[in-house]
Amino acid sequence: MKENIALNKNEDAFKQLCYKLSHKLEQVKLGGGEKKIAKQYEKGKLTARERINFLKDDEADFLEIGAFAGEGMYKEYGGCPSGGVVVGITKVSGRQCIVVANDATVKAGAWFPITAKKNLRAQEIAIENNLPIIYLVDSAGVFLPMQDEIFPDKEHFGRIFRNNAVMSSKGILQIAAIMGSCVAGGAYLPIMSDESLIVEGTGSVFLAGSYLVKSAIGESIDNETLGGATTHTEISGVVDYKCENDEACLEQIKRLMDKVGDNEKAGFNRTESKSPKTPTEEIFRHFPIDRAKPYDTIQIIDSLVDANSFDAYKEGYGQSLICGYARIDGWAIGIVANQRKIIKSKKGEMQMGGVIYSDSADKAARFIMNCNQKKIPLVFFQDVSGFMVGSRAEHGGIIKDGAKMVNAMSNSVVPKFTIVTGNSYGAGNYAMCGKAYDPRLIVAWPTAQMAVMSGASAAKTLLQIKVSALKAKGKELSDEEQKEMLDEIKARYDEQLSPYYAASRLWVDAIINPLETRKVISAGIEMANHAKIEAAFNVGNIQT
């Protein structure tokens, strides 16, 4: 009875987190707000999200990337919801592709540093997965007050155009629609794409607008004559198609996409999809909101994979990591997941859940090699506190075995996907394919926490440092003052643990309801299947 009450409470708390997620997403979708949306309509323009909805196939999902980019950032400038650009994976005329749409309701679509980072992430996904990319351009260009943080560096604004050229050389289709302002350096993006369209009356593209032309060379000219639809489709020949309005432009893109030829597939194995053995909703009951509580990860896996498809690899060895083959929506996958229940090892020792031990790291390295040998995509489920520490672990070679796992994972040539379900701490984040290790997609549940260590551990460590520093100056803190300082440090650190903090900085591509996990993984593998695996897996300096 008590256990059932606890499960019900956990379910309620988890669903509250999911409700908070859906509410925050609804707020984000308003972009710059209802007044700015009304101004878009006054100009005869659709919003960025309306353009995408019109463009995508009727039944196609839209897997949004970076919805929370910029969350809580740039407060001194009024914020930058979604980084001022909407990005996602969907289908247009039956072809899976990336869509990038500037949101002109956010600072006229100006580029903040996070905008550039998000656009680069979109191009990275297109390049890695050989996906067509469609740009719906409506931007005032670089946000000048922050130009020093967006203009000159390797991962800044200019990298966008370098990637345009690289994608063109790789045969990755790029279609750009100029649906609003497109000025200065930003003018290169649509023109470096394979085909370009422009909307009459609202679209314009030029290296310098009329005001700058007047001040630079003394010429008086209006923007439409300088770089409008008629100018660039009938005089300069810069743009390929002139469209009457947003809807006509989007219809033309659909017709262009309808005639695109198919590409050679990677050939990942897929059979008929089956529902999980345990309803996915059971995750809300069995995945504890309290991040310190143990649980059996197998229960979570059973709620996600196709029924009766999971085959454990080395089940009795290295039990703090679960490795095994399974299917999700029919796609064959290799799973590497942290086991969060407390385990009794074969030597009779108790192993903490969520900690990676030497034998587990060794097992994972070998399993990753097998998945590469068999051309099976890898899915990492992260709920990890880190690697085991202490004299016994060090004498047993934990560094060597951890390096072996990181090496195998880093050199993997099959696509990797990462789901951060809970804790993602320290080197555990790295070994379990964190953002630095090029997962094709990395998403988080609302229960995720990402940092060097847990909030409690970090707060105590930082407190000890501060107390020691004050003591060296001859100042002693009372117990009450220490508690107050501890609470203050922990509150600040806990804010940084939040999945929204990670999502705002694009450390994860999205925060998702656990019920969407199967759909995200399936869409990701379908996406990755467009890119043939060229390189062979190389074990590098892995010591077996």
Side-chain angles (χ1 to χ4, degrees), residues 433-479:
C433 195
K435 183 67 182 290
Y437 293 85
D438 298 324
R440 299 292 177 96
L441 290 174
I442 176 169
V443 299
W445 288 358
T447 44
Q449 295 183 337
M450 298 176 66
V452 171
M453 62 182 74
S454 71
S457 297
K460 288 175 184 176
T461 303
L462 291 168
L463 178 65
Q464 287 173 14
I465 294 169
K466 286 199 171 189
V467 168
S468 297
L470 289 169
K471 193 173 182 180
K473 294 177 181 179
K475 185 177 179 181
E476 294 279 353
L477 293 180
S478 67
D479 290 346

XYZ file of all heavy atoms in Angstrom, residues 433-479:
342
model
N 28.421 9.731 -23.935
C 28.167 10.475 -25.169
C 27.419 11.787 -24.932
O 26.311 12.000 -25.438
C 27.399 9.609 -26.182
S 27.420 10.270 -27.865
N 28.073 12.679 -24.152
C 27.554 14.026 -24.001
C 27.741 14.834 -25.272
O 28.240 14.340 -26.287
N 27.345 16.096 -25.227
C 27.327 16.942 -26.435
C 28.696 17.017 -27.114
O 28.790 17.120 -28.336
C 26.853 18.342 -26.043
C 26.722 19.329 -27.210
C 25.606 18.935 -28.154
C 25.512 19.899 -29.329
N 25.012 21.233 -28.951
N 29.766 16.957 -26.325
C 31.115 17.077 -26.892
C 31.499 15.900 -27.785
O 32.507 15.968 -28.490
C 32.140 17.222 -25.766
N 30.701 14.831 -27.773
C 31.068 13.601 -28.490
C 30.184 13.336 -29.704
O 30.050 12.210 -30.166
C 31.087 12.419 -27.513
C 32.200 12.586 -26.511
C 32.015 13.346 -25.365
C 33.466 12.065 -26.752
C 33.049 13.564 -24.473
C 34.505 12.269 -25.868
C 34.297 13.019 -24.731
O 35.338 13.251 -23.859
N 29.568 14.387 -30.212
C 28.867 14.367 -31.500
C 27.704 13.384 -31.603
O 27.585 12.653 -32.597
C 29.851 14.097 -32.646
C 30.915 15.171 -32.767
O 30.587 16.344 -32.523
O 32.062 14.833 -33.108
N 26.809 13.349 -30.617
C 25.576 12.584 -30.853
C 24.793 13.252 -31.974
O 24.781 14.485 -32.079
C 24.836 12.682 -29.513
C 25.351 13.930 -28.874
C 26.784 14.057 -29.319
N 24.146 12.458 -32.816
C 23.350 13.050 -33.896
C 22.215 13.903 -33.309
O 21.872 14.942 -33.854
C 22.775 11.958 -34.797
C 23.809 11.084 -35.497
C 24.604 11.851 -36.552
N 25.619 11.017 -37.155
C 25.474 10.354 -38.301
N 24.341 10.450 -38.979
N 26.455 9.615 -38.771
N 21.648 13.426 -32.205
C 20.685 14.204 -31.430
C 20.950 13.940 -29.953
O 21.287 12.814 -29.581
C 19.241 13.814 -31.752
C 18.665 14.177 -33.123
C 17.277 13.563 -33.292
C 18.616 15.689 -33.335
N 20.800 14.972 -29.124
C 20.880 14.790 -27.674
C 19.707 15.540 -27.060
O 19.554 16.745 -27.278
C 22.238 15.263 -27.101
C 22.245 15.150 -25.570
C 22.612 16.660 -27.564
C 23.619 15.344 -24.936
N 18.856 14.813 -26.345
C 17.676 15.414 -25.731
C 17.640 15.057 -24.250
O 18.301 14.110 -23.808
C 16.370 14.953 -26.423
C 16.362 15.354 -27.896
C 16.157 13.452 -26.273
N 16.864 15.819 -23.501
C 16.782 15.613 -22.056
C 15.325 15.489 -21.625
O 14.443 16.118 -22.214
C 17.443 16.772 -21.312
N 15.092 14.689 -20.595
C 13.798 14.679 -19.916
C 13.759 15.850 -18.931
O 14.825 16.382 -18.561
C 13.609 13.357 -19.173
C 13.371 12.176 -20.051
C 13.263 12.155 -21.413
C 13.222 10.814 -19.625
N 13.061 10.862 -21.863
C 13.025 10.025 -20.773
C 13.241 10.186 -18.370
C 12.830 8.643 -20.719
C 13.049 8.812 -18.304
C 12.846 8.042 -19.472
N 12.589 16.237 -18.475
C 12.509 17.340 -17.495
C 13.198 17.027 -16.172
O 13.436 17.934 -15.368
C 10.997 17.518 -17.279
C 10.347 16.895 -18.457
C 11.247 15.776 -18.882
N 13.551 15.761 -15.955
C 14.230 15.325 -14.724
C 15.744 15.419 -14.822
O 16.452 15.108 -13.865
C 13.854 13.864 -14.422
O 13.913 13.110 -15.651
C 12.448 13.757 -13.857
N 16.260 15.837 -15.955
C 17.709 15.840 -16.193
C 18.421 16.902 -15.365
O 17.863 17.964 -15.063
C 17.988 16.061 -17.680
N 19.668 16.588 -15.015
C 20.547 17.531 -14.329
C 21.948 17.367 -14.901
O 22.485 16.260 -14.898
C 20.573 17.265 -12.817
C 19.249 17.496 -12.122
C 19.343 17.298 -10.611
O 20.230 16.608 -10.128
N 18.428 17.903 -9.879
N 22.560 18.465 -15.345
C 23.878 18.391 -15.972
C 24.845 19.332 -15.265
O 24.573 20.526 -15.138
C 23.783 18.763 -17.458
C 22.903 17.842 -18.268
S 22.725 18.378 -19.985
C 24.406 18.147 -20.562
N 25.959 18.784 -14.811
C 26.976 19.592 -14.135
C 28.200 18.727 -13.855
O 28.195 17.514 -14.073
C 26.438 20.169 -12.835
N 29.246 19.356 -13.329
C 30.459 18.622 -12.958
C 30.164 17.638 -11.829
O 30.711 16.540 -11.784
C 31.574 19.602 -12.548
C 32.767 18.863 -11.955
C 32.024 20.413 -13.751
N 29.274 18.037 -10.898
C 28.873 17.154 -9.798
C 27.497 17.584 -9.312
O 26.962 18.593 -9.762
C 29.901 17.195 -8.657
C 30.065 18.549 -7.999
S 31.330 18.574 -6.696
C 32.832 18.515 -7.658
N 26.916 16.833 -8.402
C 25.587 17.151 -7.882
C 25.605 18.481 -7.134
O 26.656 18.944 -6.679
C 25.106 16.044 -6.946
O 25.828 16.065 -5.737
N 24.424 19.074 -6.985
C 24.312 20.352 -6.293
C 24.787 20.278 -4.861
O 25.509 21.174 -4.384
N 24.407 19.214 -4.160
C 24.797 19.068 -2.751
C 26.313 18.941 -2.617
O 26.936 19.597 -1.779
C 24.104 17.852 -2.146
N 26.925 18.097 -3.451
C 28.380 17.895 -3.389
C 29.125 19.178 -3.730
O 30.094 19.554 -3.061
C 28.798 16.778 -4.346
O 28.215 15.552 -3.982
N 28.658 19.853 -4.789
C 29.330 21.082 -5.209
C 29.218 22.159 -4.144
O 30.186 22.871 -3.856
C 28.729 21.576 -6.526
N 28.021 22.287 -3.562
C 27.799 23.322 -2.551
C 28.706 23.092 -1.339
O 29.311 24.035 -0.817
C 26.335 23.345 -2.131
N 28.813 21.836 -0.888
C 29.668 21.537 0.267
C 31.137 21.811 -0.046
O 31.881 22.327 0.786
C 29.474 20.075 0.682
C 28.124 19.814 1.348
C 27.921 18.333 1.621
C 26.530 18.057 2.193
N 26.284 16.610 2.363
N 31.548 21.455 -1.275
C 32.941 21.693 -1.674
C 33.244 23.181 -1.726
O 34.264 23.650 -1.190
C 33.211 21.059 -3.054
O 32.917 19.657 -3.004
C 34.662 21.253 -3.473
N 32.350 23.950 -2.340
C 32.553 25.394 -2.455
C 32.503 26.068 -1.085
O 33.244 27.023 -0.823
C 31.493 25.999 -3.382
C 31.624 25.625 -4.863
C 30.378 26.028 -5.637
C 32.860 26.267 -5.476
N 31.625 25.540 -0.204
C 31.546 26.098 1.147
C 32.853 25.893 1.894
O 33.365 26.816 2.552
C 30.388 25.460 1.922
C 30.235 25.926 3.377
C 29.877 27.412 3.424
C 29.191 25.089 4.114
N 33.416 24.688 1.792
C 34.683 24.398 2.466
C 35.780 25.348 2.001
O 36.590 25.840 2.802
C 35.097 22.947 2.191
C 34.259 21.918 2.934
C 34.592 20.495 2.499
O 35.596 20.254 1.856
N 33.739 19.552 2.857
N 35.795 25.637 0.690
C 36.809 26.549 0.141
C 36.624 27.952 0.708
O 37.585 28.608 1.136
C 36.729 26.569 -1.408
C 37.130 25.195 -1.976
C 37.604 27.670 -1.986
C 36.837 25.027 -3.448
N 35.365 28.405 0.772
C 35.094 29.762 1.283
C 35.398 29.873 2.773
O 35.985 30.862 3.223
C 33.624 30.128 1.016
C 33.326 30.457 -0.429
C 32.040 31.237 -0.563
C 31.858 31.746 -1.974
N 30.731 32.685 -2.110
N 35.001 28.845 3.527
C 35.257 28.855 4.974
C 36.756 28.873 5.252
O 37.244 29.607 6.120
C 34.573 27.649 5.657
C 35.060 27.482 7.092
C 33.063 27.816 5.635
N 37.507 28.074 4.496
C 38.969 28.024 4.672
C 39.609 29.364 4.337
O 40.527 29.819 5.021
C 39.575 26.931 3.787
O 39.102 25.665 4.174
N 39.094 30.007 3.269
C 39.638 31.299 2.864
C 39.383 32.352 3.937
O 40.269 33.166 4.253
C 39.028 31.730 1.533
N 38.165 32.342 4.504
C 37.839 33.302 5.562
C 38.634 33.028 6.830
O 39.072 33.960 7.524
C 36.330 33.248 5.853
C 35.415 33.826 4.758
C 33.958 33.473 5.024
C 35.585 35.339 4.654
N 38.816 31.733 7.121
C 39.572 31.351 8.322
C 41.012 31.822 8.213
O 41.624 32.262 9.209
C 39.516 29.834 8.499
C 40.005 29.361 9.865
C 39.761 27.869 10.026
C 40.201 27.406 11.408
N 39.961 25.945 11.594
N 41.569 31.771 7.008
C 42.939 32.224 6.792
C 43.078 33.726 7.047
O 44.159 34.215 7.369
C 43.369 31.898 5.364
N 41.956 34.433 6.903
C 41.944 35.879 7.168
C 41.558 36.183 8.610
O 41.348 37.335 8.973
C 40.966 36.566 6.219
C 41.379 36.501 4.755
C 40.328 37.147 3.854
C 40.735 37.052 2.391
N 39.703 37.652 1.506
N 41.387 35.110 9.417
C 41.090 35.288 10.827
C 39.615 35.431 11.147
O 39.243 35.858 12.244
N 38.746 35.056 10.193
C 37.312 35.182 10.427
C 36.688 33.806 10.544
O 36.849 32.958 9.658
C 36.647 35.971 9.297
C 35.164 36.238 9.555
C 34.536 37.087 8.464
C 33.057 37.308 8.758
N 32.386 38.112 7.725
N 35.978 33.570 11.638
C 35.277 32.303 11.862
C 33.772 32.513 11.620
O 33.196 33.498 12.083
C 35.495 31.826 13.307
C 36.934 31.447 13.625
C 37.294 30.051 13.145
O 36.384 29.330 12.682
O 38.479 29.690 13.217
N 33.144 31.592 10.893
C 31.707 31.664 10.649
C 30.964 30.783 11.640
O 31.390 29.659 11.927
C 31.378 31.207 9.227
C 31.871 32.083 8.062
C 31.462 31.472 6.742
C 31.332 33.496 8.176
N 29.832 31.278 12.109
C 28.989 30.468 12.984
C 28.290 29.401 12.161
O 28.245 29.468 10.920
C 27.938 31.352 13.671
O 27.023 31.858 12.703
N 27.717 28.400 12.846
C 26.985 27.340 12.153
C 25.839 27.925 11.333
O 25.568 27.478 10.216
C 26.434 26.325 13.167
C 27.543 25.502 13.808
O 28.673 25.529 13.279
O 27.278 24.846 14.835
